[in-house]
Amino acid sequence: MWPPIICRSCIASTTLGGDPLAGSGGTFPPSIGSTTPRTRQNAKVAEFFGAKPVPRANINVVNTMNRKTLLLVIASLISSVAMAQPGVSGSESAVRAAMQRLVPDVQIDSVKQAPFAGFMEVLLGAQLVYVSNDGKYLIDGQLIEMATRRNLSEASKGAVRSSRLEGVTDGERIRFAANGEKKHRITVFTDIDCGYCRRLHDQIAEYNRLGIEVDYLFFPRAGLGSHSFDKAVSVWCAPDQNAAMTLAKSGEEPAAAQCDNPIESHYNLGRELGVTGTPALVTDSGTLIPGYVPPADLIVRLQQLATP
């Protein structure tokens, strides 16, 4: 018996063999600076789902997906689709072929059984979609298990974020350690010139006092080679990275410096993980918390996320 599930922001019953998501509207902003094949793929995939900058409180935005909001009870959709399907045999190959027709040369990271019957879960970098076993229908949106109110789509994407961040070594982070016992750690994609990033850093001592370790990765919103990018490099190459970060976050120009650095890798990783603005906070479990969150609110949120 499959649990009741709701999909939010869905594009349902879209024929993948014809005009790819015709009429979905929106264009993805052009990439800034050099990008990896993965970030170029993310831009290509996003083009099919529509994207444009949308202001959001407590976050400096690069761009964010703009989708039609629709509540769809999956149970009825599953019934109609399942009756039309001969079975799930060969479903993975059918889904992969359908996605290749939709987005030629796309790199598919994984195809696995979705949490509801008749569909496969397809991961394309930062994009997660659900495709029917026969490759005819696609659902783009958040999958919610009604009984628990758990966001199953976010759980899948969170596992990917967590895995990718595990590959970032301590030597590739700028760490502001917790005072005393470390209760939680967050990885923050930051831009030195971002107002809410500066507001967050102004309270770094309070985050640390509450037992929150803050690891910084750089995400210069203006792109690679920008002045913000150069500032990030200068902070990284400073003799005291933490002091240089605090100085730069106060609005002071860091002393120009050059050295081998991971700033471009930070930026590309952020794009791969779906970061669209700063600050972007990521927990060790992979939960993405967009925007500035005051210390007292953040510790409560982290405790809630840590509770089974």
Side-chain angles (χ1 to χ4, degrees):
M1 182 70 179
W2 293 91
I5 297 174
I6 276 184
C7 174
R8 296 193 300 203
S9 304
C10 294
I11 301 174
S13 301
T14 300
T15 302
L16 299 188
D19 184 15
L21 297 179
S24 61
T27 57
F28 193 78
S31 300
I32 304 173
S34 63
T35 59
T36 64
R38 167 68 68 195
T39 57
R40 288 194 295 273
Q41 169 176 300
N42 286 347
K44 182 184 292 185
V45 171
E47 181 180 345
F48 287 96
F49 299 96
K52 67 179 182 179
V54 177
R56 184 189 303 167
N58 297 349
I59 185 169
N60 292 83
V61 179
V62 176
N63 65 74
T64 185
M65 292 295 177
N66 179 25
R67 302 188 181 115
K68 296 179 180 178
T69 302
L70 172 67
L71 288 179
L72 175 64
V73 178
I74 294 298
S76 61
L77 177 61
I78 293 172
S79 299
S80 61
V81 173
M83 288 188 296
Q85 295 180 164
V88 298
S89 178
S91 57
E92 180 175 344
S93 60
V95 166
R96 287 182 177 275
M99 292 306 301
Q100 290 290 344
R101 291 194 299 271
L102 179 67
V103 189
D105 301 321
V106 69
Q107 179 180 331
I108 300 174
D109 292 300
S110 68
V111 177
K112 65 180 182 180
Q113 176 62 53
F116 55 97
F119 279 75
M120 304 292 284
E121 179 183 285
V122 183
L123 184 66
L124 313 161
Q127 186 72 37
L128 183 72
V129 296
Y130 302 95
V131 179
S132 61
N133 290 336
D134 59 5
K136 290 184 177 180
Y137 303 95
L138 180 149
I139 297 174
D140 166 37
Q142 302 299 311
L143 193 66
I144 309 297
E145 186 177 50
M146 295 174 66
T148 62
R149 300 186 180 183
R150 184 179 177 219
N151 188 325
L152 302 182
S153 300
E154 178 58 30
S156 291
K157 290 189 283 189
V160 174
R161 294 190 199 104
S162 178
S163 176
R164 293 288 285 112
L165 285 174
E166 285 180 0
V168 181
T169 67
D170 289 348
E172 296 173 297
R173 305 165 179 257
I174 294 181
R175 173 165 297 164
F176 284 78
N179 296 341
E181 178 189 359
K182 182 181 74 173
K183 299 177 181 177
H184 304 280
R185 180 177 70 166
I186 56 172
T187 299
V188 180
F189 286 90
T190 191
D191 180 345
I192 288 174
D193 293 320
C194 146
Y196 280 111
C197 298
R198 290 182 175 183
R199 186 173 178 181
L200 185 153
H201 193 76
D202 283 344
Q203 298 176 284
I204 194 71
E206 181 63 11
Y207 291 106
N208 294 159
R209 187 189 70 79
L210 291 171
I212 303 173
E213 180 176 278
V214 179
D215 284 1
Y216 278 122
L217 303 183
F218 286 101
F219 191 82
R221 293 167 298 134
L224 307 182
S226 65
H227 189 48
S228 293
F229 177 88
D230 292 341
K231 287 182 183 181
V233 172
S234 295
V235 167
W236 183 267
C237 297
D240 186 334
Q241 293 178 329
N242 292 59
M245 175 73 87
T246 298
L247 182 70
K249 291 286 189 181
S250 70
E252 296 290 328
E253 189 77 15
Q258 289 287 333
C259 65
D260 291 336
N261 64 82
I263 310 304
E264 183 173 347
S265 295
H266 290 176
Y267 178 75
N268 287 329
L269 176 61
R271 288 175 62 95
E272 291 172 19
L273 298 184
V275 173
T276 58
T278 54
L281 288 56
V282 187
T283 68
D284 279 351
S285 64
T287 298
L288 176 62
I289 304 173
Y292 161 80
V293 182
D297 294 340
L298 183 61
I299 189 65
V300 171
R301 178 75 184 278
L302 294 174
Q303 289 168 346
Q304 290 173 340
L305 289 172
T307 303

